[in-house]
Amino acid sequence: MKIYKIPESLKALIFDIDSTLYTNPSYAFEQVDCQIRQFAKEKGITADEARKMVSDYRKSFAEENNGKKISLGNTLLAFGISIEQSVEWRKTLMEPKDFLSRDEELICTMQLLQKKYKLICVTNNPVFTARKTLDAIGISVYFPDIVGLDTCYKSKPATEPFMEACHILKVNPKECLATGDRYDMDISLPLELGMGGILVNGVEEIYTFPSII
């Protein structure tokens, strides 16, 4: 865990979902690879060829942007796959309950946090898929609102999803703390917007939040 900033007047917590509110390397891999395989099918190339295209593009992007990472959605966009198409793929190709299960410790954690803060998720998955993920791990009730890829049709890092979360919660960015497992996607832009930020390595570190914020 790396704590970049915790706002003095903290009112809201913005959570990434995947590899943040659960730790499951198999599902993390499959979420990406199922889309790459679909991309390969659409383009009439092998899965390995598609994986190399994505990997090479991401490597070039990082080299040209001071090491910054790019989301899969924005990578596929560069190859002619619209965000709208990415949304549909993610809705149909992903099934969280095949990989995830109820997390009692996380449920207890959210019970404590929601007593003090407003909670919302901002994710690069569609709301439909994100909701199924929260249902699978048992914390959906604590997140009445989700800002997904199909909310603003912008893939993190982008200003619009984070500002939409502030609008929904009726809070100032300076009153928000963003948490996620990828600095470039989940933390860097919120910090620029005046939010706090905590980078985590998985759900095990989320369990400690009631004692550190």
Side-chain angles (χ1 to χ4, degrees), residues 4-194:
Y4 287 89
K5 176 184 174 184
I6 297 178
E8 291 184 8
S9 179
L10 181 58
K11 295 182 179 179
L13 305 181
I14 299 175
F15 288 98
D16 173 52
I17 296 178
D18 299 295
S19 296
T20 296
L21 295 179
Y22 67 82
T23 303
N24 189 305
S26 295
Y27 186 44
F29 173 82
E30 177 60 16
Q31 282 194 66
V32 173
D33 204 61
C34 70
Q35 295 176 75
I36 294 176
R37 296 194 304 269
Q38 184 64 31
F39 170 66
K41 184 177 178 181
E42 296 275 334
K43 294 297 183 182
I45 60 178
T46 68
D48 282 343
E49 287 172 332
R51 292 181 187 111
K52 187 175 188 304
M53 286 177 64
V54 169
S55 177
D56 288 349
Y57 184 86
R58 284 176 148 177
K59 182 179 179 180
S60 295
F61 180 90
E63 291 173 348
E64 295 168 5
N65 292 274
N66 298 313
K68 288 185 178 180
K69 297 179 180 178
I70 184 171
S71 70
L72 180 62
N74 284 333
T75 299
L76 293 176
L77 185 61
F79 292 135
I81 303 300
S82 69
I83 293 295
E84 289 79 4
Q85 184 62 70
S86 288
V87 166
E88 292 308 309
W89 286 359
R90 291 164 188 253
K91 284 182 178 179
T92 58
L93 298 174
M94 298 177 185
E95 189 47 72
K97 65 181 176 60
D98 290 345
F99 293 85
L100 306 175
S101 58
R102 186 176 173 89
D103 185 338
E104 297 296 343
E105 189 165 0
L106 184 63
I107 292 168
C108 291
T109 299
M110 293 303 159
Q111 285 175 344
L112 293 173
L113 293 176
Q114 62 94 31
K115 291 178 181 179
K116 296 178 62 177
Y117 309 109
K118 297 179 179 181
L119 308 180
I120 196 168
C121 288
V122 175
T123 174
N124 276 348
N125 272 327
V127 172
F128 175 76
T129 306
R131 181 60 68 190
K132 290 201 296 183
T133 300
L134 297 184
D135 286 340
I137 57 181
I139 61 169
S140 192
V141 66
Y142 304 109
F143 293 92
D145 295 295
I146 298 171
V147 177
L149 187 60
D150 50 347
T151 302
C152 304
Y153 288 92
K154 295 282 187 176
S155 181
K156 295 187 291 183
T159 301
E160 291 88 345
F162 291 104
M163 294 308 296
E164 179 63 16
C166 293
H167 174 73
I168 291 170
L169 298 181
K170 297 180 173 58
V171 294
N172 187 288
K174 294 181 180 180
E175 299 170 324
C176 297
L177 173 65
T179 298
D181 66 301
R182 301 175 297 175
Y183 178 80
D184 290 333
M185 305 300 141
D186 306 315
I187 309 299
S188 62
L189 183 61
L191 291 175
E192 292 178 15
L193 295 173

